[in-house]
PDB file of all heavy atoms in Angstrom:
ATOM      1  N   GLU M 358      90.530 122.072 129.856  1.00 94.00           N
ATOM      2  CA  GLU M 358      89.599 122.905 130.670  1.00 94.00           C
ATOM      3  C   GLU M 358      88.275 122.168 130.849  1.00 94.00           C
ATOM      4  O   GLU M 358      87.696 122.230 131.915  1.00 94.00           O
ATOM      5  CB  GLU M 358      89.384 124.256 130.017  1.00 94.00           C
ATOM      6  CG  GLU M 358      90.629 125.176 129.992  1.00 94.00           C
ATOM      7  CD  GLU M 358      91.127 125.448 131.433  1.00 94.00           C
ATOM      8  OE1 GLU M 358      90.251 125.724 132.309  1.00 94.00           O
ATOM      9  OE2 GLU M 358      92.324 125.368 131.645  1.00 94.00           O
ATOM     10  N   LEU M 359      87.864 121.511 129.784  1.00 96.00           N
ATOM     11  CA  LEU M 359      86.627 120.719 129.920  1.00 96.00           C
ATOM     12  C   LEU M 359      86.782 119.599 130.918  1.00 96.00           C
ATOM     13  O   LEU M 359      85.879 119.339 131.759  1.00 96.00           O
ATOM     14  CB  LEU M 359      86.234 120.106 128.543  1.00 96.00           C
ATOM     15  CG  LEU M 359      85.722 121.044 127.530  1.00 96.00           C
ATOM     16  CD1 LEU M 359      85.519 120.351 126.175  1.00 96.00           C
ATOM     17  CD2 LEU M 359      84.393 121.695 127.958  1.00 96.00           C
ATOM     18  N   ARG M 360      87.932 118.921 130.919  1.00 95.00           N
ATOM     19  CA  ARG M 360      88.174 117.872 131.939  1.00 95.00           C
ATOM     20  C   ARG M 360      88.285 118.429 133.325  1.00 95.00           C
ATOM     21  O   ARG M 360      87.752 117.806 134.297  1.00 95.00           O
ATOM     22  CB  ARG M 360      89.460 117.090 131.552  1.00 95.00           C
ATOM     23  CG  ARG M 360      89.229 116.140 130.390  1.00 95.00           C
ATOM     24  CD  ARG M 360      90.408 115.210 130.215  1.00 95.00           C
ATOM     25  NE  ARG M 360      91.582 115.941 129.620  1.00 95.00           N
ATOM     26  CZ  ARG M 360      91.839 115.983 128.335  1.00 95.00           C
ATOM     27  NH1 ARG M 360      90.993 115.401 127.503  1.00 95.00           N
ATOM     28  NH2 ARG M 360      92.873 116.635 127.882  1.00 95.00           N
ATOM     29  N   LYS M 361      88.870 119.648 133.462  1.00 95.00           N
ATOM     30  CA  LYS M 361      88.906 120.253 134.788  1.00 95.00           C
ATOM     31  C   LYS M 361      87.510 120.615 135.284  1.00 95.00           C
ATOM     32  O   LYS M 361      87.273 120.660 136.461  1.00 95.00           O
ATOM     33  CB  LYS M 361      89.795 121.501 134.745  1.00 95.00           C
ATOM     34  CG  LYS M 361      91.275 121.213 134.581  1.00 95.00           C
ATOM     35  CD  LYS M 361      92.045 122.530 134.405  1.00 95.00           C
ATOM     36  CE  LYS M 361      93.537 122.250 134.177  1.00 95.00           C
ATOM     37  NZ  LYS M 361      94.286 123.536 134.026  1.00 95.00           N
ATOM     38  N   ALA M 362      86.602 120.904 134.320  1.00 95.00           N
ATOM     39  CA  ALA M 362      85.252 121.207 134.678  1.00 95.00           C
ATOM     40  C   ALA M 362      84.485 119.970 135.039  1.00 95.00           C
ATOM     41  O   ALA M 362      83.251 120.069 135.354  1.00 95.00           O
ATOM     42  CB  ALA M 362      84.584 121.977 133.554  1.00 95.00           C
ATOM     43  N   GLY M 363      85.102 118.799 134.871  1.00 96.00           N
ATOM     44  CA  GLY M 363      84.446 117.528 135.286  1.00 96.00           C
ATOM     45  C   GLY M 363      83.941 116.696 134.172  1.00 96.00           C
ATOM     46  O   GLY M 363      83.309 115.618 134.408  1.00 96.00           O
ATOM     47  N   VAL M 364      84.093 117.103 132.936  1.00 96.00           N
ATOM     48  CA  VAL M 364      83.530 116.328 131.785  1.00 96.00           C
ATOM     49  C   VAL M 364      84.320 115.037 131.650  1.00 96.00           C
ATOM     50  O   VAL M 364      85.548 115.008 131.615  1.00 96.00           O
ATOM     51  CB  VAL M 364      83.651 117.115 130.470  1.00 96.00           C
ATOM     52  CG1 VAL M 364      83.142 116.266 129.311  1.00 96.00           C
ATOM     53  CG2 VAL M 364      82.803 118.427 130.558  1.00 96.00           C
ATOM     54  N   LYS M 365      83.612 113.913 131.579  1.00 94.00           N
ATOM     55  CA  LYS M 365      84.235 112.613 131.623  1.00 94.00           C
ATOM     56  C   LYS M 365      84.378 111.980 130.189  1.00 94.00           C
ATOM     57  O   LYS M 365      85.241 111.099 130.009  1.00 94.00           O
ATOM     58  CB  LYS M 365      83.433 111.671 132.499  1.00 94.00           C
ATOM     59  CG  LYS M 365      83.262 112.143 133.905  1.00 94.00           C
ATOM     60  CD  LYS M 365      82.349 111.205 134.690  1.00 94.00           C
ATOM     61  CE  LYS M 365      82.138 111.672 136.137  1.00 94.00           C
ATOM     62  NZ  LYS M 365      81.359 112.941 136.150  1.00 94.00           N
ATOM     63  N   ASN M 366      83.605 112.440 129.280  1.00 96.00           N
ATOM     64  CA  ASN M 366      83.601 111.762 127.976  1.00 96.00           C
ATOM     65  C   ASN M 366      83.662 112.803 126.867  1.00 96.00           C
ATOM     66  O   ASN M 366      82.671 113.472 126.500  1.00 96.00           O
ATOM     67  CB  ASN M 366      82.308 110.929 127.820  1.00 96.00           C
ATOM     68  CG  ASN M 366      82.370 110.052 126.572  1.00 96.00           C
ATOM     69  OD1 ASN M 366      83.350 110.036 125.827  1.00 96.00           O
ATOM     70  ND2 ASN M 366      81.275 109.302 126.371  1.00 96.00           N
ATOM     71  N   ILE M 367      84.862 112.983 126.296  1.00 96.00           N
ATOM     72  CA  ILE M 367      85.096 113.853 125.149  1.00 96.00           C
ATOM     73  C   ILE M 367      85.462 113.058 123.946  1.00 96.00           C
ATOM     74  O   ILE M 367      86.440 112.303 124.011  1.00 96.00           O
ATOM     75  CB  ILE M 367      86.216 114.911 125.503  1.00 96.00           C
ATOM     76  CG1 ILE M 367      85.917 115.668 126.759  1.00 96.00           C
ATOM     77  CG2 ILE M 367      86.375 115.879 124.328  1.00 96.00           C
ATOM     78  CD1 ILE M 367      87.057 116.531 127.249  1.00 96.00           C
ATOM     79  N   GLN M 368      84.754 113.193 122.899  1.00 95.00           N
ATOM     80  CA  GLN M 368      85.016 112.502 121.653  1.00 95.00           C
ATOM     81  C   GLN M 368      85.635 113.555 120.702  1.00 95.00           C
ATOM     82  O   GLN M 368      84.948 114.463 120.226  1.00 95.00           O
ATOM     83  CB  GLN M 368      83.751 111.915 121.057  1.00 95.00           C
ATOM     84  CG  GLN M 368      82.985 111.073 122.011  1.00 95.00           C
ATOM     85  CD  GLN M 368      83.522 109.632 122.006  1.00 95.00           C
ATOM     86  OE1 GLN M 368      84.308 109.295 121.192  1.00 95.00           O
ATOM     87  NE2 GLN M 368      83.034 108.808 122.949  1.00 95.00           N
ATOM     88  N   ARG M 369      86.925 113.400 120.352  1.00 93.00           N
ATOM     89  CA  ARG M 369      87.522 114.359 119.464  1.00 93.00           C
ATOM     90  C   ARG M 369      87.465 113.819 118.038  1.00 93.00           C
ATOM     91  O   ARG M 369      87.870 112.720 117.719  1.00 93.00           O
ATOM     92  CB  ARG M 369      88.979 114.543 119.835  1.00 93.00           C
ATOM     93  CG  ARG M 369      89.725 115.564 118.958  1.00 93.00           C
ATOM     94  CD  ARG M 369      91.087 115.854 119.444  1.00 93.00           C
ATOM     95  NE  ARG M 369      91.745 116.923 118.694  1.00 93.00           N
ATOM     96  CZ  ARG M 369      92.880 117.505 119.016  1.00 93.00           C
ATOM     97  NH1 ARG M 369      93.496 117.132 120.122  1.00 93.00           N
ATOM     98  NH2 ARG M 369      93.396 118.445 118.269  1.00 93.00           N
ATOM     99  N   LEU M 370      86.895 114.655 117.104  1.00 92.00           N
ATOM    100  CA  LEU M 370      86.713 114.308 115.749  1.00 92.00           C
ATOM    101  C   LEU M 370      87.518 115.214 114.843  1.00 92.00           C
ATOM    102  O   LEU M 370      87.324 116.434 114.891  1.00 92.00           O
ATOM    103  CB  LEU M 370      85.239 114.353 115.380  1.00 92.00           C
ATOM    104  CG  LEU M 370      84.287 113.568 116.268  1.00 92.00           C
ATOM    105  CD1 LEU M 370      82.847 113.831 115.812  1.00 92.00           C
ATOM    106  CD2 LEU M 370      84.590 112.100 116.267  1.00 92.00           C
ATOM    107  N   GLN M 371      88.434 114.684 114.012  1.00 90.00           N
ATOM    108  CA  GLN M 371      89.128 115.458 113.087  1.00 90.00           C
ATOM    109  C   GLN M 371      88.455 115.332 111.699  1.00 90.00           C
ATOM    110  O   GLN M 371      88.299 114.261 111.114  1.00 90.00           O
ATOM    111  CB  GLN M 371      90.574 114.982 112.879  1.00 90.00           C
ATOM    112  CG  GLN M 371      91.441 115.762 111.944  1.00 90.00           C
ATOM    113  CD  GLN M 371      91.718 117.181 112.443  1.00 90.00           C
ATOM    114  OE1 GLN M 371      91.986 117.354 113.622  1.00 90.00           O
ATOM    115  NE2 GLN M 371      91.543 118.170 111.625  1.00 90.00           N
ATOM    116  N   VAL M 372      87.901 116.499 111.229  1.00 91.00           N
ATOM    117  CA  VAL M 372      87.166 116.487 109.966  1.00 91.00           C
ATOM    118  C   VAL M 372      87.881 117.359 108.991  1.00 91.00           C
ATOM    119  O   VAL M 372      88.010 118.563 109.178  1.00 91.00           O
ATOM    120  CB  VAL M 372      85.739 116.995 110.229  1.00 91.00           C
ATOM    121  CG1 VAL M 372      84.894 117.056 108.914  1.00 91.00           C
ATOM    122  CG2 VAL M 372      84.985 116.120 111.247  1.00 91.00           C
ATOM    123  N   ASN M 373      88.365 116.748 107.921  1.00 87.00           N
ATOM    124  CA  ASN M 373      89.065 117.495 106.879  1.00 87.00           C
ATOM    125  C   ASN M 373      88.363 117.499 105.512  1.00 87.00           C
ATOM    126  O   ASN M 373      88.881 118.189 104.629  1.00 87.00           O
ATOM    127  CB  ASN M 373      90.477 116.895 106.692  1.00 87.00           C
ATOM    128  CG  ASN M 373      91.302 116.985 107.935  1.00 87.00           C
ATOM    129  OD1 ASN M 373      91.294 117.996 108.647  1.00 87.00           O
ATOM    130  ND2 ASN M 373      92.055 115.904 108.214  1.00 87.00           N
ATOM    131  N   SER M 374      87.274 116.809 105.404  1.00 87.00           N
ATOM    132  CA  SER M 374      86.603 116.705 104.106  1.00 87.00           C
ATOM    133  C   SER M 374      85.112 116.418 104.279  1.00 87.00           C
ATOM    134  O   SER M 374      84.679 116.065 105.376  1.00 87.00           O
ATOM    135  CB  SER M 374      87.271 115.607 103.261  1.00 87.00           C
ATOM    136  OG  SER M 374      86.886 114.327 103.876  1.00 87.00           O
TER     137      SER M 374
END
Side-chain angles (χ1 to χ4, degrees):
E358 292 301 316
L359 288 174
R360 284 191 285 269
K361 290 177 183 177
V364 177
K365 303 177 181 64
N366 189 1
I367 304 171
Q368 306 275 349
R369 183 173 184 171
L370 308 176
Q371 183 67 44
V372 178
N373 297 320
S374 70

